[in-house]
Amino acid sequence: MRHLSVWVLSLIAGLFLLESCQSDDGFITDRSAKLEFSVDTLRFDTVFTELGSATRFIRVYNRNDQAIQVSKIQLEEGTNSSFRINVDGIPGNSIEDVEIPANDSIYIFTEVTVDPDAPLSESPFVITERLLFETNGNDQQVLLEAWGQNANYIPSRFDKGTFSLISCDFGEIVWDDPKPYVIYGILFIDSCTLNIPAGTEVYVHGGLALGENEDGSNFAYNDGGIFVLKDGQIQVDGTVDQPVVFQGDRLEEVFAEEAGQWRGINLSGSTGNTFNYAEIKNALYGVYVDSASAVTIKNTSIHHTSGPAIFARHSSVSSENSLFYENASRAVQLTYGGNYNFKYCTMANYGFGFDSRALSLSNGTCLDPLCAQFATNGIFARFENCILMGSSSDEVSMTDFLQGGSFFDFNVRFDHCIVRVEDMLDPIDGSFPNFFEDYAFDCINASFSDILFADVSENIYELDTLSIAEGRAKIISSIQKDFADRERDSTNPDIGCFEYQYE
């Protein structure tokens, strides 16, 4: 695509200025005298597929009967900016003392140059910056927004705050393009299987969006997410060297570990879903498994979420060799019963306060705020060779709504696990004083002084050389490798998703 050079366009700006009225002797200095702009956001809607530039302009109005002097017009990032400006024929990143005659205007030509194949840290999907104006003590701004990275925008880069559908008549769609996939709005998958092979990068543009009720009133909701409906499936098949990554599309370093940037992945009545060698981060929750849904999660990490890594409700979840950490509230939350199997998983929930848990499970759901009325559904849950640890005295929370119902109402078992429980064991006030007799077998109740991980402060959940998890797992013949695809000890494997590596 050809674009006029910003320097050529500056000549056009000069012609406009020649037609303008001459400035009055004095400038209006009243703080109420503000500038007006032709746009509040200047968008460069070009999606670059090769190194190139694009130019757009902003018109700045002085609606007053006296001339006005703009003390400074500058790009927020200064010399580090991807944008360049030309004001009144003068190029630069910061221009001072710009005069706009009474009831007149000036043009600011803005240029951006993008290398769409540069690393994402240098050429993100959306390049944004503020163009700042200082006038009579007032600070005003225009947002500059350019599309930089050569990517697959789903459904398009203009669909923020909308709903879109992938459907393929019960066939299969494969996301195998080496370019990243960027989701805008809420994406629904129905009557179709979305297959995502190794190495695919999926970014989701999140944030708050406004919806409209039937009565015309507005409501706010969290934008950016994937919903797999009853007749849809998602199959994620990464490898240890090329995992499939789901994350927010804010690529600045400050956002790398920021939770809640997008909604998460929601399975709504869908079965047959798999995540193998995936990484899911920066979401409100990792995977929400709704009623009657089923998913298998292997060799997967879900971290830096503002809610649970896995939130399952009356559903089926099978997970092995997976790592869940930096998940606010709960690492794994299983509610209203269901069928759950976790093997060689590490649930580490540090630093979120007294009420945080590595695991919460129940066989019911409250129907009113005080839980005077509730509904129940039987739960079957098995945890084998798992670490459930964090910074609370009770990292396991269990609720049996029927309190002594049948075996099938609350069928829970921990086998060769490391947990931390304290208050729930209290013979008077504890909810499960016989936890180690009735529910946990050959498990370790770890103290705060016990050594487990290499470095929790750096989110390194490999086992420490003195870890109490070493050699304490039972043999599960179907799982012979760990999260990092390394061989497990054939006779004395370690508890958790990592097998300690002796040098």
Side-chain angles (χ1 to χ4, degrees), residues 10 25 58 77 99 198 209 249 253 255 261 286 291 321 347 382 384 413-415 422-423 429-430 440 453 477 486 502:
S10 68
D25 292 334
I58 308 165
E77 298 295 330
E99 176 186 338
D249 70 342
E253 185 177 353
F255 288 97
Q261 296 179 40
S291 180
N321 272 342
M347 306 173 195
R382 292 291 182 269
E384 300 176 77
R413 181 186 179 103
F414 298 83
D415 191 351
E422 182 178 321
D423 294 340
D429 299 323
F453 303 117
S477 59
R486 302 174 303 206
Y502 292 92

Side-chain angles (χ1 to χ4, degrees), residues 103-143:
N103 296 303
D104 210 333
S105 64
I106 63 170
Y107 285 78
I108 299 176
F109 292 96
T110 307
E111 185 179 58
V112 63
T113 300
V114 171
D115 181 356
D117 297 315
L120 286 171
S121 59
E122 300 175 16
S123 178
F125 305 112
V126 183
I127 302 170
T128 59
E129 188 174 342
R130 295 184 300 170
L131 181 59
L132 306 175
F133 298 80
E134 296 179 17
T135 313
N136 295 341
N138 292 311
D139 293 326
Q140 294 177 268
Q141 65 182 36
V142 171
L143 181 66

Side-chain angles (χ1 to χ4, degrees), residues 37 102 115 263 415 421:
F37 307 101
D115 181 356
R263 191 182 188 96
D415 191 351
V421 290

Side-chain angles (χ1 to χ4, degrees), residues 7 39 52 297 304 336 352 392:
W7 316 119
V39 292
I297 299 173
H304 290 97
Y336 194 30
F352 289 104
S392 296

Side-chain angles (χ1 to χ4, degrees), residues 131-334:
L131 181 59
L132 306 175
F133 298 80
E134 296 179 17
T135 313
N136 295 341
N138 292 311
D139 293 326
Q140 294 177 268
Q141 65 182 36
V142 171
L143 181 66
L144 307 178
E145 184 179 90
W147 304 88
Q149 186 65 214
N150 189 10
N152 300 286
Y153 295 93
I154 307 296
S156 82
R157 61 195 186 280
F158 304 111
D159 285 291
K160 179 174 63 175
T162 65
F163 301 91
S164 58
L165 173 68
I166 287 181
S167 184
C168 60
D169 197 22
F170 295 95
E172 180 183 73
I173 291 178
V174 181
W175 282 4
D176 57 356
D177 195 305
K179 298 189 297 294
Y181 290 80
V182 187
I183 296 173
Y184 276 79
I186 304 293
L187 178 65
F188 292 90
I189 303 169
D190 195 24
S191 302
C192 193
T193 295
L194 176 61
N195 190 302
I196 307 181
T200 303
E201 297 177 344
V202 180
Y203 297 84
V204 186
H205 185 83
L208 286 178
L210 286 178
E212 186 174 302
N213 293 307
E214 293 182 359
D215 61 3
S217 61
N218 291 327
F219 64 91
Y221 67 92
N222 292 293
D223 197 21
I226 300 172
F227 278 69
V228 186
L229 304 182
K230 180 178 180 295
D231 293 322
Q233 281 186 347
I234 185 169
Q235 304 281 342
V236 177
D237 193 17
T239 65
V240 65
D241 297 319
Q242 291 187 302
V244 174
V245 179
F246 298 84
Q247 67 177 67
D249 70 342
R250 296 300 301 268
L251 304 175
E252 302 93 320
E253 185 177 353
V254 68
F255 288 97
E257 297 182 349
E258 187 70 22
Q261 296 179 40
W262 57 291
R263 191 182 188 96
I265 300 171
N266 191 305
L267 308 179
S268 301
S270 171
T271 61
N273 302 285
T274 62
F275 292 84
N276 190 25
Y277 286 109
E279 181 181 10
I280 304 170
K281 61 180 180 177
N282 306 133
L284 289 176
Y285 50 81
V287 181
Y288 186 105
V289 195
D290 207 349
S291 180
S293 297
V295 63
T296 298
I297 299 173
K298 297 182 179 180
N299 312 299
T300 290
S301 66
I302 305 177
H303 58 95
H304 290 97
T305 61
S306 51
I310 297 176
F311 192 120
R313 183 180 186 277
H314 189 189
S315 55
S316 296
V317 178
S318 177
S319 182
E320 64 184 51
N321 272 342
S322 291
L323 173 62
F324 314 116
Y325 68 95
E326 286 287 334
N327 314 112
S329 181
R330 308 287 189 265
V332 174
Q333 186 165 349
L334 314 173

Side-chain angles (χ1 to χ4, degrees), residues 9-57:
L9 289 172
S10 68
L11 296 177
I12 301 174
L15 294 176
F16 281 109
L17 289 171
L18 286 175
E19 297 175 359
S20 301
C21 303
Q22 294 297 315
S23 170
D24 296 337
D25 292 334
F27 298 106
I28 187 169
T29 58
D30 194 327
R31 284 182 61 91
S32 64
K34 296 184 178 181
L35 304 174
E36 293 184 15
F37 307 101
S38 56
V39 292
D40 56 13
T41 300
L42 185 64
R43 290 186 171 89
F44 295 74
D45 57 2
T46 299
V47 175
F48 295 90
T49 57
E50 58 186 24
L51 182 65
S53 299
T55 303
R56 298 288 184 270
F57 69 84

